[in-house]
Amino acid sequence: MQFVGYDTSGPGLFLASDGDVEYVSLDAGTELAYTLRDRHCAGVTTDDGHDVCENDAAPYCRDHRSTWVCAKCTGTCLKDEMDCHDPHAVYLAAFAPDVFKVGVTKEWRLETRLREQGADRGAHLRTVTDGRLAREIEAGLAEEIPDRVRVPTKRDGLHLAVDGGAWESLLAEFDVLAEFDFDYGLGLDARPVAETVATGTVRGVKGRLLVLDRAGSTYAVDLRDLVGHEVTAGATTRDLQSSLGAWG
C-alpha cells in the first residue's frame, strides 16, 4: 500500500493498493494506524486506478510531477493561448499570528481557496474580468505583501490567534468587498510537534497540516510529506518526540 495523494477539502488521504485507490477520511475523531515505510514516486492516479512508479524521487519524479503554469504568471500569459476568462478575485489571507499574503483565484472558488491554504482570515479586495489582470494586480501588491507562506510558518501559528490590530491595519489600505473568518476546530493551546507520522487520533486538518493526538502529545503533519510512502496497516512503534504537555 502507498499514500498517493491527499484532499484538503474532504479532508482525506488516497491510499493505493494493487492498482485500486481507497479514500481514507481525515475527519476529526478518525483513528489512523499506519506505519510508514520506504518512500518513492507516487505514480499516477486516474479514474481507472493507480499506476505504480518505482523512481526514488518523492512525492513525484520528473515524469509524474505536474506543474501548473498559471502559478508562475505575473500578468503575461505563459500558455499558447490565454484561457482564464472567468471573473477572478484578488484577496488577502491571514495566518496566525501576523503573517499575511496576497493571492488570486477564480471568484467562485474564493472561500474554498482560503480554506485550502489554511487561512485564519481572508479579505476579498477586488473582482476583475480575467486571470491575467488579476495576476498583474497581485504582482504589484506582492512588492509590499508576500504572495507565498510556507507550511512551517503556518505550523508555527497553529495554536495562536490572528493579531486583529495588524490585520485591520492592513485592511484599512483597501476597499474590502467581503471578509472571512475560519475555525478549523483544532482547539490547541500549544504548538504541535512537527512530525511525519500516520498514527493517532485526528484532531483536524488545516490546509495541508494534519493535526494528530497520540500518547499525550499532539503532532502536526504536512500531508504532502506522507505522499509516496509505502505503508503497512498498524500503528507505528517508532519513538516520536513528545510535546511538553505529555509530561504534565
Side-chain angles (χ1 to χ4, degrees):
M1 296 188 295
Q2 183 187 26
F3 286 134
V4 295
Y6 61 88
D7 174 16
T8 60
S9 61
L13 284 161
F14 296 103
L15 181 64
S17 178
D18 297 326
D20 295 325
V21 180
E22 172 189 355
Y23 184 79
V24 179
S25 172
L26 295 177
D27 289 339
T30 299
E31 296 289 341
L32 293 183
Y34 296 97
T35 296
L36 304 182
R37 303 300 185 187
D38 292 342
R39 193 182 189 206
H40 58 86
C41 177
V44 179
T45 301
T46 67
D47 291 340
D48 295 325
H50 175 253
D51 291 329
V52 174
C53 175
E54 297 295 345
N55 288 335
D56 290 338
Y60 299 100
C61 69
R62 179 178 297 180
D63 293 337
H64 297 126
R65 185 184 307 125
S66 61
T67 301
W68 185 43
V69 67
C70 294
K72 300 179 181 179
C73 176
T74 58
T76 301
C77 188
L78 302 175
K79 295 182 177 180
D80 293 335
E81 183 177 351
M82 178 177 151
D83 58 6
C84 54
H85 298 291
D86 298 341
H88 278 61
V90 182
Y91 66 84
L92 293 174
F95 304 88
D98 55 3
V99 179
F100 311 124
K101 73 173 288 287
V102 62
V104 304
T105 188
K106 292 182 179 181
E107 185 181 27
W108 66 269
R109 290 198 80 249
L110 177 55
E111 186 169 351
T112 298
R113 182 60 184 143
L114 288 165
R115 284 188 173 276
E116 286 175 347
Q117 297 176 83
D120 293 293
R121 297 188 189 182
H124 183 182
L125 302 184
R126 291 184 62 179
T127 296
V128 294
T129 54
D130 57 56
R132 179 193 60 78
L133 181 55
R135 288 294 187 183
E136 285 183 356
I137 296 169
E138 178 192 38
L141 292 174
E143 295 179 3
E144 301 294 335
I145 306 168
D147 58 1
R148 283 180 174 79
V149 179
R150 293 188 173 276
V151 169
T153 300
K154 298 177 183 180
R155 183 175 58 229
D156 287 345
L158 279 175
H159 62 303
L160 301 173
V162 171
D163 181 334
W167 176 241
E168 293 302 326
S169 178
L170 177 61
L171 295 192
E173 302 176 22
F174 304 94
D175 294 323
V176 175
L177 300 178
E179 293 187 49
F180 305 87
D181 196 345
F182 302 103
D183 182 0
Y184 299 87
L186 300 180
L188 296 168
D189 55 13
R191 182 174 60 188
V193 178
E195 258 291 0
T196 303
V197 64
T199 293
T201 304
V202 175
R203 185 183 283 248
V205 174
K206 184 179 181 184
R208 259 172 46 187
L209 288 167
L210 164 65
V211 181
L212 293 171
D213 291 325
R214 180 174 183 266
S217 293
T218 302
Y219 299 95
V221 183
D222 185 343
L223 289 171
R224 191 172 189 273
D225 290 341
L226 295 178
V227 176
H229 275 285
E230 297 281 351
V231 300
T232 53
T236 184
T237 58
R238 177 169 62 89
D239 289 336
L240 304 176
Q241 179 182 342
S242 298
S243 58
L244 293 177
W247 304 101

